[in-house]
Amino acid sequence: MKKIKKILIANRGEIAVRIIRAIREMELSPVVVYSDADKLSLHVRLADEAYYIGESPSSQSYLLGDKIIETAKNAGVDAIHPGYGFLAENAEFAKRVENAGIIFIGPEPDAIIQMGSKTRSREIMKAAGVPIVPGTIEPIKRIDDLNKTASEIGFPVLLKASAGGGGKGMRKVEKIEELEKAYERATSEATSSFGDPDVYIEKYIEEPHHIEIQILADNSGNTIYLGERECSVQRRYQKIIEETPSPFITDEIRKEMGDIAVKAAKAVNYRNAGTVEFIVDKNQDFYFLEMNTRLQVEHPITEMVTGIDLVKEQIKIASGEELSFTQDDIKPRGSSIECRIYAEDPFNNFAPSPGKIIEYVSPAGGIGVRDDSGVYEGFEVPIFYDPLISKLVTWGRNREEAINRMKRALYEYRIAGIKTSIPYFLQIFENEEFLSGNYTTSLIERIESVKIENPEDYEFVALLAAGLRSMEMNGNSSKQSNDADSNTNWKKSGRMRTLRRF
Ligand code: ADP
Ligand code: ADP
Ligand code: MG
């Protein structure tokens, strides 16, 4: 296999920046592509070479596989890293990259195809002896089958688009009377969102945990797991906070899940980095959900506890190297948490909040804080793409330390000009259920039902909280506390205590 010197990143935002960092540390050369909206993006500024590929909508830029491959050829790159989203799980793209004589940093196209459809992967997993969620293997084609199958499985059931992803294309059905209508809606949604009408039925697991296993596999048959990630803090089936280790499972289950995940990967001859997702019920029985055949958004928490740079490993595997460690070498240390910082307004139903960032102070500083950000002060967050602007990650010797460090970092984080999910996270880190570690995917429904009367105060206070807290600790009485401004702040501080009791 040829030596990799120059790598093109077919992506943007925080993940493009993350990948540039690994490439740079390996003393290789990062090349990027960009659209109109991204001319001044951080990934463009940090790369060695940047090529314009089209207009802002991703259908006219980041999804133009052939244009990206042509750009890569002209620039003389040896490999393409797809990041996540966009073309990352597009087997046709992976094939074309390889056909152009360029290395695709990811699995073989066949593995992407086998794991790309939820129904096909369920079939393969079942045959391989991997436990799957009870339900159908085949998509439901006839209304007659629908009622019969759902009754056999038992309500509630979940209708899922076979081609679904990103938390979209799922519908929970509580009783038989609602089934037909839900099926029709699910089918038409699946067609419009994924271009594939296939819908199947899964048993809805009550009060579940989403726990996933990180896999690395080289070309010499070594496949290992790097611990788990608890991803049960979700809004509308989308993860917003992840942590490792999971506070829910025992070491015994942890090992069982790791072994099963390796089995799942081997069943499709998987190579490179991937994630096997499981749904886990209250008895710690676990079932395969899907495999994501790419680097995941939440990969940094695994890096924090294992010390392994997953992107570097991806590049090494793609260039034909064997893994330099074995399963026994993987001994996760401490605890790590990630908050996905979105350009969204948490007080207005999480509406997108694009625009110019007029103040940006990252809390990355001090022990154990990592900010994987794709933005900077003065940057204009475009409306066209995923609203994830940064991932705030902390490490601690134990869960409590990681959480307290995260709270400290969230208090310090200053972003003005756009709205972000930061105040919402502060609320979650005050929640008893979350703090106890005994929470399931329904946690957010309960937090969301909390009404915040004065969001502006809350936001203002959240930003000031670090400063005010230290004033409280010092028993106040500094000279400044006599001036008018400080008095206002003290009043707000009182309000803060009320607001923060969620
Ligand atoms: P992760 O566990 O890495 O968050 P997700 O499945 O939530 O995995 O997807 C990661 C990103 O990829 C999402 O932010 C979304 O933009 C994109 N994505 C994933 N699947 C799809 C899909 N089927 N259609 C469109 N976007 C998708
Ligand atoms: P996606 O491809 O959109 O990521 P997944 O199959 O991974 O779809 O499911 C996303 C989320 O939906 C899970 O993390 C979980 O919260 C919920 N979910 C999926 N299947 C079930 C199920 N059978 N029972 C309960 N919740 C489920
Ligand atoms: Mg998933």
Side-chain angles (χ1 to χ4, degrees), residues 360-490:
Y360 187 84
V361 183
S362 167
I367 189 168
V369 182
R370 166 175 174 178
D371 182 23
D372 276 26
S373 165
V375 300
Y376 57 87
E377 195 165 294
F379 179 66
E380 190 158 341
V381 178
I383 183 79
F384 300 96
Y385 316 109
D386 192 301
L388 185 68
I389 54 169
S390 125
K391 294 173 333 200
L392 186 58
V393 181
T394 60
W395 179 88
R397 282 166 306 166
N398 51 43
R399 185 169 189 259
E400 192 187 359
E401 191 174 48
I403 289 174
N404 285 338
R405 198 162 272 158
M406 179 59 82
K407 283 163 71 175
R408 182 270 281 178
L410 287 166
Y411 285 136
E412 279 181 29
Y413 215 146
R414 278 156 202 267
I415 304 178
I418 57 166
K419 302 267 200 288
T420 75
S421 44
I422 292 173
Y424 186 62
F425 286 123
L426 285 166
Q427 198 172 307
I428 296 172
F429 288 109
E430 296 298 330
N431 178 278
E432 288 304 324
E433 204 177 324
F434 176 80
L435 294 175
S436 75
N438 189 15
Y439 62 90
T440 67
T441 59
S442 67
L443 172 75
I444 290 302
E445 289 165 26
R446 286 183 289 284
I447 295 183
E448 236 168 346
S449 66
V450 173
K451 211 157 164 47
I452 298 164
E453 273 160 26
N454 258 325
E456 265 113 48
D457 285 358
Y458 183 83
E459 260 174 287
F460 172 75
V461 165
L463 283 170
L464 285 174
L468 293 173
R469 280 198 149 186
S470 70
M471 280 167 76
E472 280 172 349
M473 268 183 263
N474 297 339
N476 137 47
S477 78
S478 72
K479 275 187 215 123
Q480 297 148 336
S481 70
N482 292 329
D483 70 32
D485 267 4
S486 274
N487 281 336
T488 325
N489 288 348
W490 273 106

Side-chain angles (χ1 to χ4, degrees), residues 118 166-167 210 239 277 289-290 292 296:
K118 290 194 203 283
H210 172 121
K239 304 158 188 166
E277 297 189 330
L289 267 184
E290 63 164 348
N292 289 326
Q296 258 181 314

Side-chain angles (χ1 to χ4, degrees), residues 217-358:
D218 66 17
N219 299 281
S220 314
N222 302 305
T223 304
I224 63 167
Y225 63 91
L226 289 91
E228 82 284 8
R229 294 185 286 258
E230 167 83 59
C231 309
S232 302
V233 185
Q234 298 186 352
R235 245 189 105 248
R236 301 191 182 144
Y237 302 125
Q238 289 175 6
K239 304 158 188 166
I240 53 178
I241 295 178
E242 301 93 352
E243 64 174 314
T244 186
S246 161
F248 177 63
I249 54 171
T250 61
D251 281 346
E252 201 187 339
I253 299 292
R254 184 167 282 124
K255 182 172 183 320
E256 263 179 53
M257 289 179 77
D259 290 338
I260 291 281
V262 167
K263 197 175 186 176
K266 286 191 164 165
V268 295
N269 290 318
Y270 199 83
R271 62 135 213 243
N272 214 284
T275 296
V276 183
E277 297 189 330
F278 294 98
I279 195 107
V280 185
D281 70 15
K282 59 178 186 302
N283 304 316
Q284 298 192 37
D285 285 328
F286 57 88
Y287 308 92
F288 172 86
L289 267 184
E290 63 164 348
M291 182 166 189
N292 289 326
T293 55
R294 54 170 163 86
L295 185 68
Q296 258 181 314
V297 174
E298 59 273 24
H299 75 279
I301 59 172
T302 299
E303 298 183 323
M304 299 296 271
V305 297
T306 59
I308 291 168
D309 183 319
L310 288 168
V311 179
K312 284 185 191 166
E313 293 306 321
Q314 286 194 292
I315 295 169
K316 285 196 238 169
I317 291 168
S319 59
E321 281 184 40
E322 266 188 47
L323 286 175
S324 60
F325 38 80
T326 65
Q327 188 65 63
D328 289 342
D329 296 325
I330 307 299
K331 296 196 175 67
R333 193 174 147 258
S335 193
S336 181
I337 301 184
E338 170 183 282
C339 288
R340 299 187 183 197
I341 313 289
Y342 287 108
E344 288 177 345
D345 184 354
F347 301 110
N348 181 22
N349 202 26
F350 299 87
S353 180
K356 191 165 183 154
I357 299 178
I358 55 172

Side-chain angles (χ1 to χ4, degrees), residues 172-200:
K172 183 180 176 186
V173 184
E174 305 275 359
K175 44 184 186 285
I176 197 152
E177 298 78 44
E178 295 164 3
L179 196 58
E180 246 176 68
K181 211 172 203 164
Y183 172 76
E184 274 157 22
R185 286 222 184 101
T187 306
S188 77
E189 263 172 33
T191 312
S192 59
S193 307
F194 310 109
D196 175 353
D198 282 358
V199 165
Y200 71 104

Side-chain angles (χ1 to χ4, degrees), residues 1 80 82 87-99 102-117 120 124 215 217-221 223 264-274 291-295 314 317-320:
M1 206 171 272
I80 293 183
L87 298 164
E89 290 171 282
N90 184 320
E92 186 55 36
F93 175 70
K95 247 184 235 169
R96 288 188 189 199
V97 170
E98 299 279 346
N99 289 344
I102 298 169
I103 296 170
F104 178 77
I105 302 178
E108 300 284 347
D110 263 0
I112 301 178
I113 292 170
Q114 286 175 299
M115 288 298 191
S117 140
R120 197 182 304 118
I124 298 167
I215 291 291
D218 66 17
N219 299 281
S220 314
T223 304
K266 286 191 164 165
V268 295
N269 290 318
Y270 199 83
R271 62 135 213 243
N272 214 284
M291 182 166 189
N292 289 326
T293 55
R294 54 170 163 86
L295 185 68
Q314 286 194 292
I317 291 168
S319 59

